[in-house]
Amino acid sequence: MALHGLHYLSLMELLPESIEYNGIDNLLEVLNEEVNRGYWDLVWGGSGTAGGFDVIKGTNFEVIMKNEEQIELSFTRKWDPSQEGKAVPLNIDKRFVMLRGSSGFYTYAIYEHLKEWPAFSLAETRIAFKLRKEKFHYMAVTDDRQRFMPLPDDRLPDRGQALTYPEAVLLVNPLEPQFKGEVDDKYQYSCENKDITVHGWICTEQPSVGFWLITPSHEYRTGGPQKQNLTSHVGPTALAVFMSAHYTGEDLVPKFSEGEAWKKVFGPVFVYLNSSTDDDNDPLWLWQDAKSQMNVEAESWPYSFPASDDYVKTEQRGNVVGRLLVQDRYVDKDFIAANRGYVGLAVPGAAGSWQRECKEYQFWTRTDEEGFFYISGIRPGQYNLYAWIPGFIGDYKYVDIVTITPGCYIYVEDLVYQPPRNGATLWEIGFPDRSAAEFYVPDPNPKYINKLYQNHPDRFRQYGLWERYAELYPEKDLVYVVGSSDYRKDWFYAQVTRKKDSKTYQGTTWQIKFELKNIDKNHSYTLRVAIASATFSELQIRVNDANASPLFTSGLIGRDNSIARHGIHGLYWLFNVEVAGSKLVEGENTLFLTQPRSTSPFQGIMYDYIRFEAPS
């Protein structure tokens, strides 16, 4: 077994229209036009113009560095006022870097909007590579999400049947019979930012070859560690997505105003190539090797080699260390270590604002079992320190601004998060982890399966699960009885609309029944409702009278589209509702949770956790 390293390639070999490696003249799809093989792209909008999809083509080329150890190339595109309404108002500098002995190349880009330029929005930007379909058939996204994939031809109308939306296709007459009856949908292979470290494709022919996108840092991705993005999918396609509205909606589309200067470095991302010449070895070994290389890249971050001054090197960055504790007197009279909590630095804002922050950099880590954390490699600037902890609702924000200067090591004293709490827990449903994965996820319709997700922890990634609700509850809606129901079996993963016929849907009302004794009529109880995702939906809450005016309404919330895109969460919401003791009765009480919006099968709510508290 041997790995074959790339050394210096000719200029044409390094451009994203052609990648030569290990005797293969081009790893990219030669049947595509040259501009549709490997590229940076973006989706933009402007004031008074529709904007659109833009494959970024440089108009100027420069060799930034060339020596025995490194070559760095720059492809720039400058904006000027004559392009207003026709091109996104950004200066863009795409960089490609090769290092001696490195089996692959790096790419990064600098986007800049000058203060005097017009307003615009940036819905998406990414790198895309489209590989040769006759060679790359095996895709790997994580250890337990990898498989042989259908061909793009199988998605065409004569071989595939488009389902409720165009990305989802039922394979009815695929070229390879083993895929018949499966659903292919690129959103079934999405990942959270924190888990997008290495993914790609393997050519299992001998000599076997792997093509991998390695992301050693997520500092330049928007929306924080739980934001979900596309990875690899049928094409064969491999993506490095930096900015998108997937699983969040418009909240994660940055809007830049006239008079607002902005500059950001996206990347570097490492395009890693590996191969095996030993016929006796499993080609899937290339995945293990790619994971090892990912660890090497992560340990090398921040990189020392990028030539752009806009990329901040290690010695120019700072570090923050500290400990996070939780104080909840109804759980423990002592401080509780924030075990495996998420701690991060992002631009100053309200608690929890980081999940909608989409212009600047974020730096995240997880605490250890004792609550200690260390965040390294932070770009200079002013930040708030944010956190959230699985097992506890709400968001933490450190009260002081954290100012990072080159080379600093900042120790923050023991931080104490006091999660929302008024009184003792009378009952609860679910586990507060910003996901609906612990609830009941039904088996898919046998007509619409992805074999990868059969008997898989991510069973929620199957197509069409929303339609199972009407089959389980054809006339009456879900009723959950505290004390006898089990949320793992009796709480459907999403409160969706009920399908009445091919074009008609209706809202749904779920009930929670619970017993109370010795009610305090003079004080309020508290209902905490944590929502993992919402899509063009509304939550109305009533107590003991399904026809009364709502005690609470959220109004229209959410554009996550997580139900359609097989995500088990989107943006997090937390609602705290006071329930007057006078509205409760001795014995059985009923909460009515109504989602009335009903023009689509994908409108609905995914709950994270619900808790009912006694008065303080």
Side-chain angles (χ1 to χ4, degrees), residues 242-253:
F242 306 119
M243 184 181 286
S244 83
H246 292 146
Y247 302 95
T248 59
E250 281 291 312
D251 285 353
L252 265 289
V253 176

Side-chain angles (χ1 to χ4, degrees), residues 15-32:
L15 292 176
E17 66 204 30
S18 175
I19 301 174
E20 180 181 342
Y21 175 70
N22 199 39
I24 301 176
D25 59 348
N26 195 351
L27 302 182
L28 303 182
E29 184 52 85
V30 295
L31 299 178
N32 289 0

Side-chain angles (χ1 to χ4, degrees), residues 3-19:
L3 290 180
H4 298 282
L6 288 174
H7 298 288
Y8 291 132
L9 300 180
S10 70
L11 175 59
M12 288 305 295
E13 287 172 327
L14 187 57
L15 292 176
E17 66 204 30
S18 175
I19 301 174

Side-chain angles (χ1 to χ4, degrees), residues 277-557:
T277 57
D278 192 334
D279 294 346
D280 296 327
N281 283 286
D282 184 354
L284 303 189
W285 171 85
L286 299 175
W287 163 249
Q288 299 299 327
D289 175 70
K291 289 198 303 176
S292 297
Q293 186 63 39
M294 179 271 294
N295 291 330
V296 171
E297 300 299 323
E299 290 171 3
S300 302
W301 187 273
Y303 292 136
S304 60
F305 59 79
S308 172
D309 292 336
D310 294 309
Y311 179 81
V312 179
K313 309 297 192 302
T314 300
E315 63 275 11
Q316 300 168 298
R317 299 184 178 224
N319 310 273
V320 172
V321 63
R323 190 185 189 198
L324 181 62
L325 304 171
V326 180
Q327 186 178 42
D328 185 336
R329 66 186 186 279
Y330 290 98
V331 175
D332 195 309
K333 64 181 180 179
D334 296 323
F335 289 122
I336 306 164
N339 181 13
R340 301 298 292 161
Y342 292 87
V343 182
L345 296 179
V347 295
S353 61
W354 55 267
Q355 70 168 341
R356 290 175 170 84
E357 200 288 306
C358 51
K359 290 184 179 179
E360 302 302 331
Y361 303 90
Q362 298 193 25
F363 304 87
W364 287 86
T365 192
R366 298 195 72 174
T367 61
D368 65 15
E369 293 180 355
E370 299 299 319
F372 291 100
F373 63 88
Y374 174 50
I375 307 175
S376 61
I378 308 164
R379 294 173 64 102
Q382 291 191 322
Y383 301 89
N384 274 140
L385 186 149
Y386 302 96
W388 74 272
I389 304 103
F392 298 91
I393 59 174
D395 279 277
Y396 172 80
K397 185 184 89 168
Y398 183 47
V399 65
D400 295 334
I401 293 291
V402 177
T403 300
I404 300 298
T405 56
C408 72
Y409 278 84
I410 296 175
Y411 177 77
V412 291
E413 68 275 14
D414 284 356
L415 309 176
V416 179
Y417 174 49
Q418 295 178 316
R421 169 75 77 172
N422 286 338
T425 299
L426 296 178
W427 52 262
E428 59 187 350
I429 299 172
F431 178 78
D433 60 356
R434 308 194 174 204
S435 165
E438 70 268 32
F439 297 125
Y440 177 68
V441 178
D443 291 331
N445 185 323
K447 296 179 181 179
Y448 306 118
I449 63 166
N450 181 321
K451 292 178 182 177
L452 174 63
Y453 296 114
Q454 292 179 311
N455 302 313
H456 191 282
D458 289 0
R459 54 188 289 129
F460 57 82
R461 299 190 187 277
Q462 296 280 13
Y463 173 85
L465 298 180
W466 57 87
E467 294 183 343
R468 308 298 283 184
Y469 180 79
E471 297 169 13
L472 290 168
Y473 302 93
E475 299 295 336
K476 296 182 179 180
D477 284 319
L478 182 151
V479 177
Y480 187 92
V481 181
V482 172
S484 60
S485 296
D486 181 346
Y487 66 77
R488 294 166 294 185
K489 300 176 182 177
D490 302 317
W491 190 272
F492 200 74
Y493 80 102
Q495 185 172 358
V496 294
T497 55
R498 177 187 287 103
K499 185 176 182 179
K500 299 301 289 182
D501 55 46
S502 61
K503 296 183 179 179
T504 305
Y505 304 88
Q506 67 178 189
T508 54
T509 296
W510 290 7
Q511 298 179 42
I512 303 174
K513 295 184 177 294
F514 59 99
E515 298 279 336
L516 282 182
K517 296 180 180 179
N518 303 318
I519 296 169
D520 185 344
K521 297 284 187 177
N522 297 319
H523 294 91
S524 291
Y525 293 68
T526 304
L527 179 68
R528 313 269 185 198
V529 182
I531 290 176
S533 179
T535 301
F536 292 105
S537 55
E538 177 183 359
L539 174 61
Q540 298 175 357
I541 299 176
R542 295 172 174 85
V543 180
N544 287 330
D545 185 350
N547 298 313
S549 297
L551 174 67
F552 166 86
T553 178
S554 65
L556 182 64
I557 57 171

Side-chain angles (χ1 to χ4, degrees), residues 589-611:
N589 291 264
T590 304
L591 283 176
F592 298 93
L593 307 181
T594 298
Q595 197 299 105
R597 312 279 178 145
S598 56
T599 58
S600 159
F602 305 126
Q603 288 174 283
I605 293 169
M606 293 183 186
Y607 295 94
D608 167 38
Y609 173 74
I610 301 174
R611 184 171 76 212

